[in-house]
Amino acid sequence: MTAIQAPSLADREAAALLPTYARQPVAFTSGSGAWLTDDEGRRYLDFLGGLAVTALGHAHPAVTGAVAAQAARLVHTSNLYLTEPQVALAEALQRHLGWSDGRAFFCNSGAEANEAAIKLARRHGLAQHPGKVKVVSLLGGFHGRLLGALLLTGNPAKHAPFQPLGDWVTHVAHDDPAALDAAVDDDTCAVWIEVVQGEGGVRPLSADMLAAARAACDRVGALLVADEVQTGVGRLGAWFGWQTTAVEPDVVCLAKALANGLPIGAIVARGAAAAAFRPGDHASTFGGNPVVAAAALAVLDTIEREGLVDRAAARGRHLAAGLEDLAARHPLAVGERGRGLLRALVLHRPAAAAVTAAALERGLVVNAVAPDAVRLAPPLTVTEAEIDEALTLLDRALSAVEDTA
Ligand SMILES: Cc1ncc(COP(=O)(O)O)c(C=O)c1O
């Protein structure tokens, strides 16, 4: 009699989930710090952090403790009522942004944060004159998959299956200050930027581009919105990415690392932008509920207490030097780009998927952020020894792909 084999997790997924994800062939079951363990007990060094999310690493006791304590007390009430953790989180963000006039709104994801900022920018624009609803955003930018955030996203291939999405967004090249200036007119309510385009291949914007965005907004009374969903909360070696530049936005969008993996999104608006919304203009049933707010407070508190912002800058320099060294020794690699602990190893040809797969086989988690770029976003708590180990594994992965070429 032949034994009936239990279906694999991948087979069960195919029979039960909509096929939106092309997943890697691994199922993780636990994590600790910069390490993950899969369902066969194999350990991996996690240099992706759940897409730049687990800034404190996996199972950080401060987050686990805050979530457990809050969940034991009160999980949810809706935003019809006041809850202390949400207000305390908004106050902490004001402090780290340096915006005493900053006002926050909480939601559940990066795309939702961008959607909230779109509505805020429209409200701000329409208070000036009818029709002031247009947005200028950048090619290569990524802002999420909900319909408004998708249209902001500067990737026409992602728009194509869902057209029409509307005509209120103009995209300009990510490094063309003159084109940006020309695209912004009196009907523009906002310009959207990422200080470092994350999903666009870890591409820092030039100082000229950032200055042009700020100047164009000031010229027409539009808001400069910095999507800091990937770059915020310490990752670039500053609390927020814009603090590494000469330009200050009017609105920031946050998510990802803010609660170390619990679903949260936020916008913080300052100045006139903070006065644009009225009660009823926007809402979220779960947004900023006591558990996610407690988790986010634990994240911000830990980053501050342990000096992780400066540490991210220092570890980022160590990682960048190691990637440059790999690029000098490997014919496949060109160099590296990024800031702080958001980095990409840039390749000569579109082999990032092969390098990522070879790295995973060797116990290193990274991802192919572009066909020719491998992204690394380790936790802010990563040690130099862990960085050196990751570089050794990446070295071997590059050699393996070079050998099969
Ligand atoms: C800059 C930026 N904005 C928005 C998003 C969308 O975030 P979410 O997937 O939480 O909706 C992402 C996700 O990668 C992002 O990197």
Side-chain angles (χ1 to χ4, degrees):
M1 204 171 74
T2 47
I4 300 172
Q5 268 215 321
S8 71
L9 196 54
D11 290 342
R12 285 169 55 200
E13 186 213 26
L17 276 89
L18 290 169
T20 59
Y21 299 106
R23 303 207 205 249
Q24 298 294 315
V26 59
F28 295 119
T29 51
S30 66
S32 175
W35 295 86
L36 283 166
T37 303
D38 74 10
D39 56 0
E40 289 168 3
R42 198 168 163 221
R43 273 163 50 87
Y44 300 76
L45 197 43
D46 183 7
F47 266 48
L48 186 57
L51 293 168
V53 166
T54 49
L56 300 187
H58 299 286
H60 193 287
V63 178
T64 308
V67 168
Q70 186 59 51
R73 207 160 38 238
L74 180 68
V75 171
H76 181 79
T77 63
S78 90
N79 282 303
L80 293 180
Y81 309 100
L82 287 164
T83 51
E84 206 275 340
Q86 187 181 120
V87 176
L89 177 57
E91 291 167 344
L93 289 173
Q94 279 177 331
R95 196 157 56 80
H96 296 307
L97 283 158
W99 292 355
S100 55
D101 64 343
R103 298 290 181 270
F105 171 84
F106 293 104
C107 48
N108 310 287
S109 68
E112 283 187 33
N114 279 276
E115 295 285 337
I118 293 167
K119 287 179 71 179
L120 184 86
R122 281 197 172 207
R123 263 309 224 158
H124 181 262
L126 289 168
Q128 294 173 57
H129 64 77
K132 193 172 176 66
V133 296
K134 286 166 45 181
V135 172
V136 174
S137 72
L138 305 186
L139 290 169
F142 184 83
H143 304 291
R145 309 275 187 159
L146 302 177
L147 288 181
L150 180 60
L151 184 56
L152 291 181
T153 290
N155 182 342
K158 293 206 184 325
H159 300 167
F162 304 104
Q163 293 287 15
L165 291 169
D167 58 1
W168 47 275
V169 177
T170 305
H171 293 99
V172 300
H174 80 277
D175 201 13
D176 190 341
L180 186 145
D181 187 58
V184 173
D185 65 23
D186 213 32
D187 285 340
T188 304
C189 71
V191 173
W192 237 262
I193 55 158
E194 292 160 87
V195 171
V196 176
Q197 292 189 329
E199 299 307 302
V202 189
R203 285 176 202 281
L205 291 193
S206 70
D208 286 350
M209 195 65 185
L210 291 166
R214 181 69 269 176
C217 288
D218 293 344
R219 174 167 56 79
V220 301
L223 300 180
L224 180 60
V225 179
D227 181 345
E228 295 251 13
V229 163
Q230 188 152 166
T231 54
V233 197
R235 177 143 305 275
L236 300 193
W239 272 104
F240 300 97
W242 67 264
Q243 293 164 335
T244 67
T245 77
V247 159
E248 187 161 10
D250 302 295
V251 181
V252 292
C253 302
L254 304 172
K256 287 199 184 280
L258 185 53
N260 210 50
L262 277 90
I264 191 169
I267 61 170
V268 185
R270 70 176 175 105
F277 272 158
R278 297 274 167 277
D281 278 352
H282 203 44
S284 166
T285 296
F286 293 129
N289 90 7
V291 172
V292 294
L297 278 165
V299 168
L300 299 180
D301 178 59
T302 304
I303 290 175
E304 188 171 25
R305 221 168 0 90
E306 297 185 3
L308 295 181
V309 170
D310 289 344
R311 196 171 141 153
R315 297 281 189 268
R317 284 191 292 274
H318 186 74
L319 178 58
L323 292 172
E324 284 297 352
D325 174 58
L326 286 184
R329 289 188 291 106
H330 281 278
L332 184 55
V334 187
E336 70 86 36
R337 62 179 174 236
R339 226 172 256 167
L341 284 173
L342 182 59
R343 298 275 164 186
L345 180 71
V346 185
L347 307 178
H348 269 299
R349 56 182 173 86
V355 172
T356 298
L360 190 68
E361 277 172 27
R362 286 159 183 78
L364 174 68
V365 179
V366 289
N367 96 311
V369 70
D372 65 350
V374 177
R375 170 172 43 187
L376 300 98
L380 310 187
T381 51
V382 72
T383 64
E384 281 199 0
E386 286 165 341
I387 291 174
D388 292 342
E389 187 165 350
L391 289 165
T392 301
L393 294 170
L394 195 52
D395 192 355
R396 290 183 195 146
L398 288 164
S399 297
V401 173
E402 284 162 352
D403 287 349
T404 56

